[in-house]
Amino acid sequence: MNPIIIDGKETSRKVLHNLRTDIAQLTQHGHTPGLAVVLIGEDPASRVYVDSKVKACEELGIYSQKWVLPTETTQKELVQLIHQLNADDRIHGILVQSPPPAHIDEQAVILNIDPRKDVDGFHPINVAKLVLEDHTGFVPCTPLGCMELLNTYSIPTQGKHVVVIGRSMIVGKPMAHLLVSKQANATVTIAHSRTADLLSICRTADILIAAVGRPGLVTADFIRPGAVVLDVGINRVEDATRPRGYRIVGDVDYGSVQPLCSAITPVPGGVGPMTIAMLMSNTVKACKLTCGA
Ligand code: GUN
């Protein structure tokens, strides 16, 4: 089989291009969308993600604030900043990069974000809106990006069996809700680390979505020939042959899986670039909702 290689870079470029018109119009009417990105600590991977989010804002004409707080920042200080950002009219979206240091109670922080500015879709109000299929809420960016890829590549979901490996609040659970919604009409199985006979379940998938953070977990024997595979994993593995000493791989063993699929996302260049594009899209949506555009 000669699979379609799903190009997340190109698809994200299209999403960003389409946002430009909206951003220009909003700005003309005095409503420039604004995003605040908050990073606590020094985690190098998180720094890269935060910088690329700010860069995307700059390229699009979205106003941005980058807050890099020391690891020792207290819960109280962080919540104070969140309240300040809630009250800042220039800011329509607030994102606290996950994971924060261990002494921070992430859920308590999220509860302090105004749900109308929660462009990550992590606040319980937005989780509920996703489940209720209330489209005024915000959906987490990575699963939203996966849906965008399926739509762009005209991959049907109606009546299909989708197996999502991973039950996180960032990817697995919202992914399953989007797929089972009346817009997508898929039949969804959520598998996780305690699932019995993962392999047999995955082999029944028309669409397999891997979001567990385990490099190369999904091998050829997991794949029903002709399946569509979306790889959400972004894992650093040691590689002495690379200048940085590591390379990025997904949760899917691309080499063995790719020949069996009808379509597959590579890592890097698949789901990854979509996350930022959908963050920009959610920020524009937040701006539109607050200014009534
Ligand atoms: N860390 C990894 N992915 C994400 C994301 O989508 N949002 C936030 N806030 N942190 C993350």
Side-chain angles (χ1 to χ4, degrees):
M1 207 166 292
N2 215 355
I4 294 165
I5 310 300
I6 298 175
D7 187 340
K9 269 193 192 163
E10 182 53 30
T11 311
S12 75
R13 263 196 288 274
K14 278 187 200 147
V15 170
L16 295 174
H17 177 77
N18 291 337
L19 285 175
R20 282 180 190 277
T21 321
D22 285 359
I23 295 165
Q25 271 176 5
L26 286 162
T27 300
Q28 258 179 10
H29 291 92
H31 301 294
T32 301
L35 176 69
V37 184
V38 182
L39 171 67
I40 312 107
E42 294 293 326
D43 179 62
S46 291
R47 254 183 187 271
V48 173
Y49 293 138
V50 162
D51 286 344
S52 43
K53 286 166 185 173
V54 172
K55 186 164 162 252
C57 287
E58 283 165 2
E59 282 170 6
L60 281 180
I62 291 179
Y63 167 72
S64 66
Q65 291 181 7
K66 179 170 101 171
W67 293 84
V68 180
L69 308 179
T71 310
E72 319 76 67
T73 304
T74 64
Q75 179 90 11
K76 199 171 164 201
E77 286 165 337
L78 179 56
V79 168
Q80 268 168 2
L81 172 62
I82 300 295
H83 290 165
Q84 176 188 321
L85 297 171
N86 282 341
D88 189 334
D89 288 342
R90 296 167 300 176
I91 296 297
H92 304 94
I94 302 170
L95 178 144
V96 180
Q97 186 64 28
S98 183
H103 67 278
I104 299 287
D105 177 349
E106 190 173 13
Q107 204 50 38
V109 172
I110 290 166
L111 278 175
N112 279 280
I113 299 176
D114 181 336
R116 292 166 300 185
K117 296 192 176 190
D118 168 38
V119 284
D120 257 329
F122 294 168
H123 190 287
I125 293 270
N126 286 316
V127 177
K129 285 187 172 183
L130 170 60
V131 179
L132 292 165
E133 300 188 36
D134 172 343
H135 302 290
T136 66
F138 294 100
V139 175
C141 303
T142 303
L144 203 55
C146 290
M147 294 307 289
E148 187 71 28
L149 288 175
L150 293 173
N151 287 332
T152 302
Y153 281 81
S154 303
I155 294 166
T157 53
Q158 177 151 315
K160 301 295 180 189
H161 182 210
V162 185
V163 175
V164 180
I165 318 177
R167 56 178 156 182
S168 71
M169 292 305 295
I170 297 192
V171 186
K173 283 186 188 139
M175 187 78 251
H177 280 295
L178 286 169
L179 286 160
V180 86
S181 76
K182 293 208 168 69
Q183 285 198 331
N185 293 311
T187 303
V188 182
T189 301
I190 307 181
H192 49 80
S193 54
R194 307 291 165 90
T195 295
D197 203 1
L198 179 65
L199 192 125
S200 301
I201 291 170
C202 290
R203 283 187 71 89
T204 67
D206 300 304
I207 302 174
L208 182 61
I209 304 180
V212 271
R214 289 193 37 201
L217 171 81
V218 174
T219 46
D221 42 348
F222 282 60
I223 307 297
R224 196 179 61 78
V228 172
V229 176
L230 302 187
D231 188 352
V232 180
I234 302 178
N235 309 295
R236 282 186 183 201
V237 295
E238 273 184 38
D239 185 343
T241 69
R242 301 291 172 100
R244 288 186 181 139
Y246 68 87
R247 70 193 148 90
I248 301 291
V249 299
D251 292 345
V252 175
D253 178 34
Y254 189 84
S256 74
V257 167
Q258 185 253 12
L260 297 168
C261 304
S262 59
I264 185 167
T265 58
V267 177
V271 174
M274 294 305 294
T275 299
I276 291 188
M278 302 327 285
L279 174 65
M280 300 298 116
S281 173
N282 276 352
T283 304
V284 172
K285 178 180 174 177
C287 177
K288 283 183 181 171
L289 285 173
T290 50
C291 73

